[in-house]
Each structure stands twice: as C-alpha cells, then as structure tokens.
Amino acid sequence: ILNVEQSPQSLHVQEGDSTNFTCSFPSSNFYALHWYRWETAKSPEALFVMTLNGDEKKKGRISATLNTKEGYSYLYIKGSQPEDSATYLCASMDSNYQLIWGAGTKLIIKP
Amino acid sequence: KAGVTQTPRYLIKTRGQQVTLSCSPISGHRSVSWYQQTPGQGLQFLFEYFSETQRNKGNFPGRFSGRQFSNSRSEMNVSTLELGDSALYLCASNPTGGGNTEAFFGQGTRLTVV
C-alpha cells in the first residue's frame, strides 16, 4: 500500500447500533497514526494519535486499534448517536514527519 | 487558550490573480502545516513550517509558496490562480510537528477562483 486508504467511503448506521471502519496505511517507515473527526462547518478535531503496534485507545464510546506490521487501524463507535455523524479521517505519518491523509469515511447516523 | 485562526474565511478571486492566506497558530505552537481539500479528495499536504523554516513540502507546483514569521504566524501564497485552485485551505498547528502529538486545525479559508 502506497497511500492511506479508508473504507467504507460512507456509512449509514441506525442510532444505537455499533459500527467500525478501517484505515490502511504503508507499514514501512511508519511513525504514527492519527484519527480525526470532522463535523460539517467545523474544523477537524483529533481523536487519537497512536504509535505502537497493538496500541488500543479509547475516548468515551469511541475506540481505535493499531496494527503497524500489517498496516491497518480500526475505529469503533459503540452505540452510535446522532452527534457521531461526521467524516472520520485517518492520517499516517512516516519517519519524515509528513502526514498522509485518507479520503475519510462519512458516517451518517439515522435516528 | 485561543485556537488556530485563519483569515479570511472566504475569498473569491479571478484566474491569473494571486492570493495570500493567513494562519495564526495556537500560542506556543511552532509548527504550522497547510492543506488543500477539494470535494472527494483527502487532505492534500502543501507544506509545513517550523521555526520559520520550511521543513516538509508536498507535491504542488511552485505557484504555491509559504512562509512563517518569528511569532509562528504563517502565510500561504498562490500566484497565477487557476480554476482548479478552488478549494478549502486548512492550516494546522502543532507544538513541535512531531508525529506523536495531535494537530489543531483552523476553520479554513474557502477560495473560489472564477
């Protein structure tokens, strides 16, 4: 993988359901993996920054895992709420400290 | 603490003109990065400045340039504007630009080239 890829591109989830999506990134020269939430008409906000293989981070109902050997990260949202509707971006940083961004997963929570 | 401030928020320019966008980072942050976002695309990295020096540069033509001042404020300039330069331009600040710290984004400047 040469670029950062996110899947799916968009996702409709019923309120209360749990969901997850994927970020794939180049595993060579890996330095850090960032997750951001971008709500409409707002600025992207950081969710997690992860660096270690096997790392798992949690913030409320949102959690993320990291596998640097195979080059993927999962973002999980438990019990989706309408306020979770946003585009979720991941970015991989290599040893040159340059962030390469995925195109994002647009999450829409249906009430 | 004040967040990252970008000015102006909206801008309409004509093809061939030039434009300068401004970004004031969070106080104490020395790294400022610039990104271009167009519909359907991820954030495209333009460049990063740290302590007044360009530390990283993305794959954009030389029409895109930037600088950083001693107070860490940064400007981005685009010369000879093209229709394809219409985009949301975001800047992000970070204490050191290191990969293990989060970036703080401004609200962006929406540039429309007509």
Side-chain angles (χ1 to χ4, degrees):
Chain A
I1 296 174
L2 298 178
N3 295 313
V4 176
E5 297 170 0
Q6 291 188 248
S7 63
Q9 191 172 5
S10 66
L11 195 52
H12 288 72
V13 174
Q14 198 68 42
E15 182 178 351
D17 287 352
S18 297
T19 187
N20 65 84
F21 25 93
T22 307
C23 173
S24 301
F25 55 87
S27 54
S28 59
N29 298 321
F30 172 82
Y31 189 81
L33 193 284
H34 292 222
W35 280 101
Y36 289 79
R37 175 169 59 202
W38 194 358
E39 295 178 66
T40 304
K42 293 187 178 180
S43 314
E45 288 185 344
L47 288 171
F48 307 111
V49 178
M50 297 186 287
T51 56
L52 300 175
N53 184 46
D55 213 359
E56 187 168 335
K57 294 210 171 180
K58 189 175 179 183
K59 186 183 285 189
R61 295 178 292 101
I62 304 177
S63 60
T65 60
L66 179 66
N67 183 321
T68 61
K69 293 182 193 277
E70 295 180 45
Y72 64 84
S73 175
Y74 293 133
L75 190 80
Y76 300 90
I77 302 178
K78 186 177 176 182
S80 304
Q81 299 297 308
E83 60 264 30
D84 296 329
S85 294
T87 296
Y88 290 81
L89 299 171
C90 74
S92 175
M93 179 174 278
D94 61 18
S95 51
N96 293 319
Y97 298 123
Q98 185 168 326
L99 276 173
I100 307 298
W101 295 79
T105 292
K106 185 171 182 178
L107 178 64
I108 298 166
I109 306 301
K110 299 179 289 184
Chain B
K1 176 151 94 162
V4 178
T5 305
Q6 289 189 248
T7 57
R9 291 289 310 280
Y10 302 93
L11 206 47
I12 299 175
K13 288 285 189 179
T14 305
R15 265 185 308 176
Q17 286 187 310
Q18 75 161 11
V19 68
T20 299
L21 312 181
S22 179
C23 173
S24 293
I26 290 172
S27 177
H29 286 194
R30 295 165 65 189
S31 166
V32 174
S33 297
W34 287 91
Y35 297 92
Q36 181 196 67
Q37 204 248 351
T38 50
Q41 297 279 329
L43 295 177
Q44 303 295 311
F45 172 72
L46 283 153
F47 25 67
E48 184 222 357
Y49 285 87
F50 181 81
S51 292
E52 301 178 67
T53 301
Q54 188 180 85
R55 191 161 65 171
N56 269 311
K57 189 177 189 305
N59 295 324
F60 277 79
R63 301 184 296 107
F64 292 81
S65 62
R67 58 178 176 168
Q68 187 179 34
F69 302 94
S70 58
N71 62 358
S72 293
R73 189 177 72 85
S74 177
E75 287 182 347
M76 190 191 96
N77 185 76
V78 188
S79 62
T80 321
L81 283 165
E82 300 176 359
L83 294 179
D85 297 333
S86 295
L88 179 68
Y89 290 87
L90 288 166
C91 84
S93 78
N94 181 292
T96 62
N100 57 354
T101 53
E102 64 189 73
F104 294 82
F105 283 84
Q107 290 201 292
T109 294
R110 173 78 60 185
L111 172 66
T112 302
V113 182
V114 297

